[in-house]
Amino acid sequence: MEQKNAMNKPAARPAAAAAPQGEAKGGGSSLFAVLAIILAFVVSVIVFVFVLGDGSHFQGGNHENNPLPGDYFGVVYKGGPVVPVLITMFLCVIIFSIERALTLGRAKGSKSIESFVRTIRQKLNVNDITGAIAACDQQKGSVANVVKAGLVKYQEMARERHMEKDQKVLAIQKEIEESTALELPMLEKNLVIISTLASIATLVGLIGTVLGMIKAFSALAQGGAPDAVGLANGISEALINTALGISTSALAIVAYNFFTSKIDELTYSIDEAGFSIIQTFSAQHGATEHNTTV
């Protein structure tokens, strides 16, 4: 019993040692998210004021006037103060989509996942665990890290003579699960931001729509002849904000679903490789080995 307890303690050490590293990655990723949102907002305000609001886009060179015919920069500027917020959301979707694409590319590794998993299964079929670990070192990435952790545990359990077969299999399975739990948060980081933008971009666009319609009806409510210019500007503001909100939301939904499917592919590959490791160990070490020392 003391020997079993002594063996179970080292199995938990890798997860405990990796936790601070995961926390550090999480803190760095959170800082990146905050800085990215602030930077996107600053850029949006600069674009709104100095690019869209430039006098060259308006009649008489004054942004208070109507935009020039066919000048879409001036038209978007007339969308009002909600436009910089929507541009910020749009830029955030672009920034975090690029960040997720780079992260998932590194997580996949240097070669295709299908080829890597096929190589691991071939190595396991001939019981070449050392070769499988070498393939993980060449592949790199999150999938390779999880598979390598399982293979290292495989070798450790293969040398162990004091545990039952079922205990060894559970130890390997636990190691794979713990390694997966450490890698998955990195893959899913910042996806919540994209999904949130997909939900609220349309709502923010509707706020701009409501403000525009308020201006439009205010123009109609004036005494005497209705203010045709004010009415047109109010409707234009409403439609511009609606278009920006829907466009940003649609892009965020597409990005979120795309990256979610990619993460599902990676987790499926991890599960497939992990199942092969456990199945191979069960087949190669079918007999229960007991301690024969006194």
Side-chain angles (χ1 to χ4, degrees):
M1 179 65 68
E2 293 179 356
Q3 290 174 332
K4 290 183 180 180
N5 292 335
M7 292 196 53
N8 289 334
K9 291 180 181 178
R13 287 176 186 168
Q21 182 180 1
E23 292 175 359
K25 289 181 179 179
S29 181
S30 299
L31 178 61
F32 167 79
V34 173
L35 293 177
I37 293 173
I38 294 175
L39 178 62
F41 179 73
V42 172
V43 171
S44 299
V45 172
I46 292 174
V47 170
F48 180 76
V49 175
F50 296 103
V51 179
L52 301 179
D54 187 79
S56 62
H57 305 302
F58 301 90
Q59 297 176 0
N62 187 352
H63 62 78
E64 296 293 336
N65 297 330
N66 292 329
L68 295 173
D71 194 318
Y72 291 102
F73 281 9
V75 172
V76 174
Y77 179 82
K78 286 299 182 180
V82 180
V83 170
V85 179
L86 291 171
I87 295 177
T88 300
M89 293 182 175
F90 182 82
L91 291 178
C92 285
V93 173
I94 299 297
I95 291 172
F96 289 114
S97 295
I98 295 174
E99 185 268 340
R100 284 296 86 195
L102 295 176
T103 300
L104 293 180
R106 291 194 300 268
K108 185 179 69 172
S110 58
K111 301 178 182 177
S112 67
I113 292 296
E114 294 80 6
S115 176
F116 169 69
V117 173
R118 186 164 53 250
T119 299
I120 294 299
R121 298 187 69 173
Q122 290 173 352
K123 298 291 185 182
L124 289 174
N125 288 336
V126 295
N127 201 26
D128 184 10
I129 307 303
T130 302
I133 293 177
C136 293
D137 293 332
Q138 293 177 355
Q139 177 73 11
K140 299 180 181 179
S142 298
V143 177
N145 291 340
V146 175
V147 175
K148 182 178 179 180
L151 292 172
V152 171
K153 196 67 176 180
Y154 182 109
Q155 287 184 325
E156 180 183 340
M157 292 296 100
R159 293 190 296 266
E160 175 57 41
R161 296 295 182 270
H162 309 300
M163 298 175 64
E164 300 290 334
K165 172 193 168 184
D166 292 342
Q167 292 177 316
K168 295 179 181 180
V169 171
L170 288 175
I172 297 174
Q173 185 176 0
K174 181 180 178 182
E175 183 69 20
I176 295 174
E177 291 175 352
E178 290 178 350
S179 299
T180 303
L182 291 175
E183 295 290 343
L184 277 182
M186 182 194 69
L187 301 179
E188 298 175 348
K189 203 74 174 179
N190 295 331
L191 275 183
V192 64
I193 297 178
I194 297 178
S195 65
T196 302
L197 291 173
S199 301
I200 67 174
T202 304
L203 298 178
V204 174
L206 288 176
I207 292 175
T209 302
V210 171
L211 295 177
M213 295 306 296
I214 290 174
K215 291 183 179 180
F217 283 105
S218 296
L220 285 175
Q222 292 182 358
D227 184 359
V229 175
L231 175 63
N233 287 337
I235 296 176
S236 176
E237 178 178 341
L239 296 178
I240 289 167
N241 285 288
T242 302
L244 287 175
I246 293 176
S247 300
T248 301
S249 179
L251 180 61
I253 290 172
V254 171
Y256 179 80
N257 290 335
F258 174 79
F259 292 123
T260 301
S261 65
K262 290 298 181 182
I263 293 174
D264 290 341
E265 290 179 7
L266 293 178
T267 54
Y268 175 78
S269 299
I270 291 174
D271 293 339
E272 183 180 2
F275 177 77
S276 297
I277 292 172
I278 295 173
Q279 189 178 43
T280 301
F281 185 89
S282 299
Q284 298 290 338
H285 304 79
T288 301
E289 295 172 330
H290 298 278
N291 183 19
T292 57
T293 60
V294 179

